[in-house]
Amino acid sequence: MTDLGPLIPRNREIHPVPYDPGYKTSITRSPNLPLLSMESTPSEETGPRFGHNLLGELDNNLILNWTKGAAPAVGERILVHGRVLDENGRPVPHTLVEIWQANAGGRYRHVKDTYFAPLDPNFGGCGRTITDENGYYEFLTIRPGAYPWPNRGNDWRPMHIHMSVFGHSFGQRLITQLYFEGDPLIDRCPIAATIKSRSQLDRLVAPLDMAKARPMDFLAYKFDVVLRGRRQTMFENKLEGM
Amino acid sequence: MTQQLDILQETPSQTAGPYVHIGCVPTFAGLEGIYPEDLALSPIEDGAKGEIIEITGSVYDGTGWAMRDAMMESWQADAAGIFPGSEGADPKVSGFCRFTADKETGIFTLRTVKPGATKGRGGVIQAPHISVWVVARGINIGLQTRIYFEDEDNSADPLLARIEQRPRVDTLIAKKTAEGKYTFDIRLQGEGETVFLDI
């Protein structure tokens, strides 16, 4: 195994605080004691790889994948696209990106979701793809609706899409949420507010991208993701993933 | 003024939420058939070299409740201590597994091959361990930890050596209950809180 250099330590300042009473569930699910820090080891610097043979033809098309192409989901048709990069600005090619979301009415297809907005018989709500050689990914989907949740008396999640990204090492593993430009619920959401820096939260808000919208078909939103990079020297000057 | 650093910042994490299974373990959510099967149901295939072991346990919140909605991922070396993807690795070991606790009991089971000791930077030897990542509703950034084994020599492991309060080392050690069987509980908060890592 070529030593690609240790992972750049996480800057925990940009991430959400683990304990945030505004987000009630975090109260009992956040460690009290400090994390144990040390330089990364091969256990964090290596990780699983997934090949294109994993993917079905419609895996990144949530409008059609639930019905295997037989009937489209109802809602605002959108393309969600972007790049996966590392902190050194290098693309992260050939990595698995998974997304999940509610339907246009804010209802999840999950045994535990009892919100009375109806399920869309033509919408499942999950998709996956693998970034190309330049780190690009794209999904075709419908824009999810906002939905209420039992936190404080009248809390509603903004429209959002959950995203899980692997990178090339287990220490890069990241799950986050994509929000949509202009949604007034973002400023009222206790989960969004677990990120204490407004400029960091803004990085989760996908702008409308008319250049990628397809006339008479779908709008587009752009969402780039940055994963941890490796600390490199002249003597560790290897491309990510090489 | 100084020159500008040419570095990007990592994307902030957000909780995986209660419906993480839709995207990551669709059959758990009730989406059977969206994919041929869920991703990474096992870290090994038949014929993997080494001792096959089963680790069972629960993830407890700060009230002592075994969580039913957590999702875990594990990553490990093969029986010879070689990480999958590296030269000489056992082709029957993918090393990666995604698993959940049982909906009714809150008990998870990880069936895998017992990893060998691995070499770290500068030739340092790490005792056999499995890396684990836990996400769930209420966890704003995924929690990293490790499973070590009580029947291995852990005395020289560099990570365990760094834990100042020695009784806390025990929170990372799986206990042997029978041949090839171990238990390992994860306590997010409070008494017996598991050591979580920032590495």
Side-chain angles (χ1 to χ4, degrees), chain A residues 1 3 5-6 8 10-12 14-18 23 25-48 50 54 59 65-66 68 85-89 96 98-100 108-113 124-128 162 164 166 170 173-177 179 191-192 194-195 200 203-204 224-228, chain B residues 6-24 26 28-37 39-40 61-63 65 67-69 71 73-75 83-87 94 96 98 103 118-121 126 129 131-133 135-144 146 158-159 162-163 168 188-190 193 195-199:
Chain A
M1 179 78 196
D3 186 349
I8 296 171
R10 263 198 164 113
N11 175 6
R12 300 259 164 190
I14 67 158
H15 286 289
V17 293
Y23 174 24
T25 314
S26 77
I27 294 174
T28 56
R29 294 185 172 195
S30 45
N32 289 334
L33 300 172
L35 304 178
L36 180 72
S37 301
M38 61 182 270
E39 186 169 70
S40 64
T41 75
S43 314
E44 296 77 38
E45 293 156 11
T46 59
F50 303 98
L54 176 75
D59 278 7
N65 68 359
W66 182 244
K68 311 286 183 210
L85 305 162
D86 71 14
E87 289 169 296
N88 295 311
L96 182 64
E98 298 162 296
I99 65 169
W100 63 102
Y108 281 98
R109 188 176 286 278
H110 190 290
V111 287
K112 296 269 188 190
D113 189 3
C126 71
R128 62 186 179 183
H162 296 266
S164 160
F166 276 83
F170 199 56
R173 201 72 185 78
L174 182 75
I175 283 181
T176 189
Q177 299 184 26
Y179 302 108
I191 288 178
T194 59
I195 298 173
Q200 294 301 338
R203 297 177 60 219
L204 299 186
D224 287 343
V225 173
V226 181
L227 301 179
R228 294 173 71 184
Chain B
D6 184 20
I7 188 133
L8 302 177
Q9 287 182 300
E10 191 185 10
T11 297
S13 170
Q14 289 271 265
T15 180
Y19 307 126
V20 57
H21 320 98
I22 294 175
C24 297
F28 184 101
L31 278 77
E32 290 85 356
I34 184 93
Y35 305 137
E37 65 173 25
L39 189 78
D61 71 10
T63 73
W65 172 249
M67 291 159 56
R68 269 66 169 173
D69 55 1
M71 182 180 87
E73 293 181 351
S74 65
W75 173 245
F83 283 98
S86 304
E87 201 181 321
S94 75
F96 177 70
R98 193 178 253 177
K103 280 190 193 84
T118 56
K119 224 180 262 176
R121 199 162 279 106
Q126 305 192 88
H129 67 274
S131 296
V132 178
W133 190 65
V135 295
R137 176 172 65 104
I139 297 176
N140 290 328
I141 178 165
L143 294 167
Q144 292 168 263
R146 287 185 179 183
L159 184 137
R162 263 186 110 115
I163 300 173
R168 295 202 71 206
L188 297 188
Q189 188 190 76
E193 184 174 306
V195 173
F196 294 105
L197 312 173
D198 186 14
I199 49 181

Side-chain angles (χ1 to χ4, degrees), chain A:
Chain A
M1 179 78 196
T2 316
D3 186 349
L4 297 168
L7 289 162
I8 296 171
R10 263 198 164 113
N11 175 6
R12 300 259 164 190
E13 299 284 308
I14 67 158
H15 286 289
V17 293
Y19 171 87
D20 192 340
Y23 174 24
K24 291 182 180 175
T25 314
S26 77
I27 294 174
T28 56
R29 294 185 172 195
S30 45
N32 289 334
L33 300 172
L35 304 178
L36 180 72
S37 301
M38 61 182 270
E39 186 169 70
S40 64
T41 75
S43 314
E44 296 77 38
E45 293 156 11
T46 59
R49 298 295 179 99
F50 303 98
H52 285 270
N53 57 350
L54 176 75
L55 302 179
E57 204 183 334
L58 293 172
D59 278 7
N60 69 338
N61 183 340
L62 286 73
I63 291 177
L64 292 175
N65 68 359
W66 182 244
T67 62
K68 311 286 183 210
V74 171
E76 184 182 336
R77 296 161 65 86
I78 59 170
L79 179 80
V80 172
H81 75 102
R83 288 182 88 187
V84 181
L85 305 162
D86 71 14
E87 289 169 296
N88 295 311
R90 293 190 176 88
V92 182
H94 313 303
T95 194
L96 182 64
V97 179
E98 298 162 296
I99 65 169
W100 63 102
Q101 61 169 93
N103 69 21
R107 174 72 185 271
Y108 281 98
R109 188 176 286 278
H110 190 290
V111 287
K112 296 269 188 190
D113 189 3
T114 54
Y115 182 34
F116 54 71
L119 286 169
D120 176 348
N122 299 329
F123 186 73
C126 71
R128 62 186 179 183
T129 190
I130 289 176
T131 58
D132 73 8
E133 60 276 17
N134 296 310
Y136 282 101
Y137 74 87
E138 57 182 31
F139 291 97
L140 202 56
T141 187
I142 53 95
R143 188 146 79 143
Y147 63 85
W149 58 300
N151 190 54
R152 300 174 306 199
N154 193 15
D155 275 331
W156 292 70
R157 295 301 326 277
M159 301 177 283
H160 65 277
I161 295 175
H162 296 266
M163 186 177 286
S164 160
V165 189
F166 276 83
H168 293 159
S169 65
F170 199 56
Q172 290 177 300
R173 201 72 185 78
L174 182 75
I175 283 181
T176 189
Q177 299 184 26
L178 171 163
Y179 302 108
F180 292 89
E181 179 182 3
D183 185 344
L185 288 171
I186 296 169
D187 288 340
R188 297 166 183 266
C189 175
I191 288 178
T194 59
I195 298 173
K196 296 307 171 193
S197 155
R198 181 69 215 199
S199 62
Q200 294 301 338
L201 174 57
D202 285 344
R203 297 177 60 219
L204 299 186
V205 183
L208 179 68
D209 181 7
M210 290 306 291
K212 282 287 266 191
R214 185 176 186 196
M216 309 304 289
D217 192 346
F218 52 74
L219 281 170
Y221 287 86
K222 182 166 197 299
F223 190 71
D224 287 343
V225 173
V226 181
L227 301 179
R228 294 173 71 184
R230 290 171 189 272
R231 199 186 76 225
Q232 296 188 333
T233 71
M234 291 287 279
F235 306 102
E236 296 172 335
N237 197 14
K238 300 278 195 314
L239 285 175
E240 169 68 31
M242 299 293 285

